[in-house]
Amino acid sequence: MDLTFFFALLGGLLVLAFVANRLVRFTRVPDVIILMATGILIGPVLHWVNPDIFRGVTHGFGSLALILILFEGGLELKLREILKHFGSGFFLSLFSYALCVAAVGETCRFALHFSWLNALLIGAVLGCISSSIVLPVLQQVNLRREVKVTLVVEASFGDAFAVLAVTTLLDIAAGGNAARKAVAWALGSSLMLAVAAGLLAGMLWSYLLPVLSEERFWHVLTFAAVLLVYSGVHFLKGNELVSVLVFGLTLSNFQAVRRRLHFGETAGSDWFNEMPIQDQKGRSPDHHRDQMLTFHGELAFLLRTFFFVLLGTLVDYPDLRRNIVLASMCFAAILGARLVSVEAGRLAWRGFSALERELMVWFVPRGLITAVLGIEVVEARGTVFAFLPSLAFAVVLLSSLTVLIGTIRARNLPPSVPNAI
């Protein structure tokens, strides 16, 4: 590809992403959908871009964009909201994923005549909600804070559940013995480690910010801290995505919690940045938070633009046609399981309206983590699963259509105060 044309294409994509993002308030179509459609257009349709060139870096783009999206989300959340809705979000994430795995597994047993183990492997790959897609959509949809926070908590655990399930099933398929206690301990310990690491890192960085913010490039240093938290927790076998969310949440709320507990500050009237605390330079923690939000938000916008366009370029039409029937059956099972899980948890979100619960059913996007896990299963189990990557991409496309349906249905919600996640 000519270098000048490549730069022109990048510039055009960024302009398109900016325009699509601004038009959301009028069209109600998330820019994620437009970017993926653009990727399909310039890749499989017009052949302007050879997806094989970028296939190896797409996962990296997606992971980096997701890290920044979660950190940005943590900065915008309030601790009281997380504590109030953590239980309902965790229940939805775990119960919905388990039902999706079982429903897709039963579908594959019927359609492919697979053993239960092989069928559940496909279910474990396809059952994972994509936080890298659902979080940007939540920023652009007119949902109440309670619903958004519940879905943010759910999305934060989606990748972790999928990786744990696929790893456990592959271990069993290889002749290992994954006891229930071992799986429960792995999940619990990874969560506790993530929360502890995010809290400690956030508290430390909160103390350092008043000094570091007087130096040039302190935003880049904060970005480096986010990457180190993610990598360190991953190395220690913790839930790295939750740790990034908790890191941002702690940076946003720690000073107000200190004031509430009388740790070196006079008590204010309410929690969480109602009365800004001034540092020695005369700047409040809100000032630092707003600056971090601006920098990391724009960086996330840049990365996710390229990620979703690249994801669209990876669509393979011949494989898509071969697997569209099976993908439709699997996705119908996913929607059915999602409906059951949302209705089963009505006591947990009894304040949600019928339309809000309906939107929770529609917002079940699958993303790059689904495709990556599909490839890992093929590498571990051989040619019997050769169809799985193409099946995963077909489900990703079908789930994007349901997200579009959800955003259109969201137009019927009553107006609420704009408050991004």
Side-chain angles (χ1 to χ4, degrees), residues 102 201 219 244 349:
H219 294 299
V244 169
W349 38 82

Side-chain angles (χ1 to χ4, degrees), residues 190-236:
S190 68
L191 178 60
M192 289 186 289
L193 176 61
V195 172
L199 279 172
L200 290 175
M203 291 165 62
L204 175 62
W205 211 251
S206 294
Y207 282 114
L208 294 176
L209 268 183
V211 177
L212 296 175
S213 60
E214 297 303 312
E215 304 295 332
R216 292 184 65 191
F217 312 124
W218 71 274
H219 294 299
V220 177
L221 195 60
T222 302
F223 177 46
V226 174
L227 296 180
L228 288 173
V229 169
Y230 176 91
S231 303
V233 172
H234 177 80
F235 177 76
L236 295 173

Side-chain angles (χ1 to χ4, degrees), residues 358-372:
E358 178 192 332
L359 294 178
M360 292 170 70
V361 175
W362 291 123
F363 289 153
V364 286
R366 270 51 185 166
L368 190 63
I369 183 65
T370 301
V372 170

Side-chain angles (χ1 to χ4, degrees), residues 33-51:
I33 305 297
I34 296 175
L35 293 173
M36 290 183 65
T38 303
I40 294 173
L41 181 64
I42 66 175
V45 177
L46 299 177
H47 302 288
W48 288 358
V49 175
N50 181 4

Side-chain angles (χ1 to χ4, degrees), residues 35 52 153 263 286 294 310:
L35 293 173
D52 293 332
V153 173
F263 287 167
D286 273 353
T294 300
L310 290 176

